[in-house]
């Protein structure tokens, strides 16, 4: 079966955000707050932007994140400024983004397959799932999968579900064990100092009003349904879809001796060029009924000096490019999986 075409991210240049994640000191006692010594070493990220990037207005409420790690956990702290703090869902693995929520996305090995999604609302209700591959590539989510050993806490600076309260923000702490994350990681292990994982964060925000003393989603009179939610993110995606792991940020795990620096390597840029060819092949096939080995028919162009090789048949393709140091070959196929041999 031919895979369908895919939306192409609208980004001018490939520059995902990055973050140097420092080692944690001491035990994390989770209460949802960040004003304690445990978080002193962790810097805040930039404030979140609209998921589509600069083509959309900046969010009306500030959101930012900080991160730490140790031998046992990946720690995430999130601060969400909000004058209307509400939540309704109390059952684990509910579709949490039907409430306002905070979300974490993690692709340990950067191949865009086998990645994790975590959502939490202001009631500290969690939805965690494993995705075999992105929805665009036919991947099913595994709702029954759980992050065993997950620890979370939420703090409310105000009052939950009370429109009369003087609300300021709500904040989240999450401690995600490596034992739950390493299944999809390189060599099935936690990261080593200097390595990076692909990570992004999202905040879902619904338009609300007060009706009968409670918060209610604002209904669009033309459709009879709530207006679409806003999606605010750390690293912008260039389209309204979080399930493009190749666009997530880079989280670099640093040790205490060397906090490290980061720049996008040539290999990462080679991988991005292969991603662009993947988008073009999928959309070409949707209109022409088969993939092609002729890159001129795809309209591909690149500032990166690269000579990819293409094998294509009616229902599948494989595109390869030499790694930056000549130590191997990067390969991408029709379902978006990208790896090195």
């Amino acid at each position: 079966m031919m895979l369908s075409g895919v939306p192409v991210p609208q980004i001018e240049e490939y520059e995902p955000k990055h973050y140097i994640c420092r080692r944690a000191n001491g035990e994390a006692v989770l209460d949802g707050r960040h004003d304690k010594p445990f978080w002193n070493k962790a810097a805040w990220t930039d404030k979140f932007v609209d998921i589509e990037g600069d083509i959309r207005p900046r969010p009306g409420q500030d959101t930012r994140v900080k991160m730490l790690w140790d031998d046992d956990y990946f720690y995430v702290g999130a601060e969400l400024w909000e004058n209307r703090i509400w939540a309704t869902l109390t059952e684990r693995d509910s579709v949490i983004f039907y409430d306002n929520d905070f979300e974490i996305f993690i692709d340990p090995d950067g191949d865009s397959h086998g990645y994790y999604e975590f959502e939490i609302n202001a009631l500290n209700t969690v939805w965690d799932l494993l995705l075999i591959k992105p929805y665009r590539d036919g991947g099913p989510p595994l709702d029954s999968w759980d992050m065993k050993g997950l620890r979370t806490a939420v703090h409310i600076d105000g009052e939950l579900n009370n429109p009369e309260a003087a609300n300021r923000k709500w904040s989240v702490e999450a401690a995600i064990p490596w034992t739950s994350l390493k299944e999809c990681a390189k060599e099935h292990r936690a990261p080593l100092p200097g390595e990076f994982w692909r990570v992004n964060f999202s905040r879902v925000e619904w338009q609300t009003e007060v009706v009968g003393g409670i918060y209610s989603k604002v209904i669009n009179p033309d459709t009879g349904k709530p207006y679409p939610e806003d999606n605010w993110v750390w690293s912008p995606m260039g389209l309204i879809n979080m399930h493009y792991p190749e666009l997530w940020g880079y989280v670099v795990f640093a040790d205490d001796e060397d906090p490290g620096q980061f720049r996008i390597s040539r290999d990462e840029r080679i991988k991005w060029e292969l991603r662009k060819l993947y988008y073009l092949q999928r959309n070409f096939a949707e209109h022409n009924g088969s993939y092609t080995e002729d890159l001129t028919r795809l309209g591909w162009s690149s500032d990166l000096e690269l000579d990819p090789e293409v094998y294509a048949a009616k229902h599948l393709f494989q595109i390869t490019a030499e790694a930056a140091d000549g130590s191997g070959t990067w390969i991408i196929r029709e379902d978006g999986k990208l790896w090195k041999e």
Side-chain angles (χ1 to χ4, degrees):
M1 182 180 69
M2 182 83 66
L3 291 166
S4 62
V6 295
V8 179
Q10 301 302 304
I11 57 175
E12 293 185 3
E13 58 181 334
Y14 183 72
E15 291 293 338
K17 300 276 189 178
H18 73 272
Y19 183 91
I20 306 298
C21 185
R22 304 291 298 273
R23 293 279 300 187
N25 287 334
E27 182 182 357
V29 179
L30 304 190
D31 58 7
R33 301 175 65 105
H34 310 124
D35 54 351
K36 52 193 175 189
F38 178 80
W39 287 107
N40 286 350
K41 290 172 58 178
W44 288 108
T45 63
D46 295 335
K47 293 177 181 177
F48 284 21
V49 297
D50 189 88
I51 191 170
E52 293 184 89
D54 292 339
I55 65 172
R56 304 290 297 170
R58 296 193 66 84
Q61 308 265 17
D62 286 343
T63 314
R64 57 183 184 170
V65 169
K66 54 174 57 178
M67 292 165 260
L68 291 167
W69 72 299
D70 61 21
D71 291 341
D72 300 312
Y73 292 98
F74 177 39
Y75 300 96
V76 176
E79 178 184 75
L80 302 88
W81 288 84
E82 179 62 80
N83 56 359
R84 294 183 171 184
I85 305 176
W86 63 274
T88 63
L89 299 169
T90 59
E91 183 177 351
R92 184 170 180 142
D93 290 340
S94 301
V95 182
I96 299 298
F97 67 79
Y98 288 164
D99 286 347
N100 286 352
D101 78 354
F102 171 70
E103 304 179 0
I104 305 170
F105 296 83
I106 303 172
D107 182 3
D109 61 6
D111 68 353
S112 88
H113 286 208
Y115 63 89
Y116 307 103
E117 180 177 354
F118 164 96
E119 302 185 3
I120 189 169
N121 67 7
L123 280 166
N124 196 25
T125 308
V126 166
W127 183 20
D128 50 354
L129 60 159
L130 168 66
L131 289 105
I132 303 303
K133 59 179 74 172
Y135 297 108
R136 70 189 182 201
D137 300 310
L142 301 181
D143 279 330
S144 60
W145 178 88
D146 286 335
M147 293 176 175
K148 294 180 180 178
L150 173 71
R151 299 159 54 205
T152 64
V154 170
H155 174 72
I156 307 294
D157 188 350
E159 189 174 342
L160 184 66
N161 293 329
N162 181 4
E164 302 299 322
N167 293 315
R168 297 180 70 243
K169 63 182 177 180
W170 61 288
S171 54
V172 174
E173 288 181 299
I176 307 175
W178 300 120
T179 52
S180 287
L181 297 177
K182 67 183 183 180
E183 184 175 9
C184 294
K186 178 181 179 181
E187 300 172 358
H188 302 295
R189 58 168 172 78
L192 300 175
E195 293 182 338
F196 62 77
W197 283 15
R198 303 304 299 273
V199 177
N200 211 351
F201 306 97
S202 174
R203 172 180 177 177
V204 167
E205 185 80 2
W206 294 90
Q207 296 183 42
T208 60
E209 59 186 350
V210 179
V211 178
I214 61 173
Y215 294 121
S216 299
K217 293 176 183 176
V218 179
I219 302 300
N220 181 341
D222 294 332
T223 65
K225 299 178 180 180
Y227 285 99
E229 71 276 18
D230 287 318
N231 295 270
W232 302 332
V233 304
W234 170 46
S235 194
M237 303 293 293
L239 75 173
I240 305 175
N241 190 333
M242 286 300 297
H243 294 273
Y244 277 59
E246 64 269 24
L247 296 171
W248 298 348
Y250 294 89
V251 172
V252 183
F253 297 96
D255 59 25
D256 288 329
E257 289 73 27
D258 181 10
Q261 298 181 351
F262 178 80
R263 65 178 180 85
I264 297 176
S265 68
R266 176 174 171 82
D267 273 318
E268 290 301 299
R269 297 200 180 279
I270 291 171
K271 289 161 67 176
W272 174 239
E273 293 303 319
L274 293 179
R275 293 285 181 200
K276 288 160 60 176
L277 286 166
Y278 150 82
Y279 303 145
L280 291 168
Q281 281 277 29
R282 288 279 293 272
N283 292 328
F284 178 91
E286 185 175 42
H287 290 95
N288 295 278
S290 67
Y291 300 113
T292 180
E293 294 184 350
D294 184 355
L295 294 185
T296 63
R297 299 186 68 190
L298 297 178
W300 173 69
S301 64
S302 173
D303 294 330
L304 197 67
E305 189 173 330
L306 197 66
D307 185 22
E309 295 184 0
V310 185
Y311 169 81
K314 183 177 180 62
H315 296 296
L316 58 86
F317 69 82
Q318 184 169 289
I319 307 174
T320 65
E322 186 178 8
D325 62 0
S327 64
T329 301
W330 292 107
I331 304 170
I332 194 167
R333 67 190 188 199
E334 70 282 349
D335 68 351
K337 185 176 176 64
L338 193 156
W339 71 98
K340 185 180 179 183
E341 287 187 353

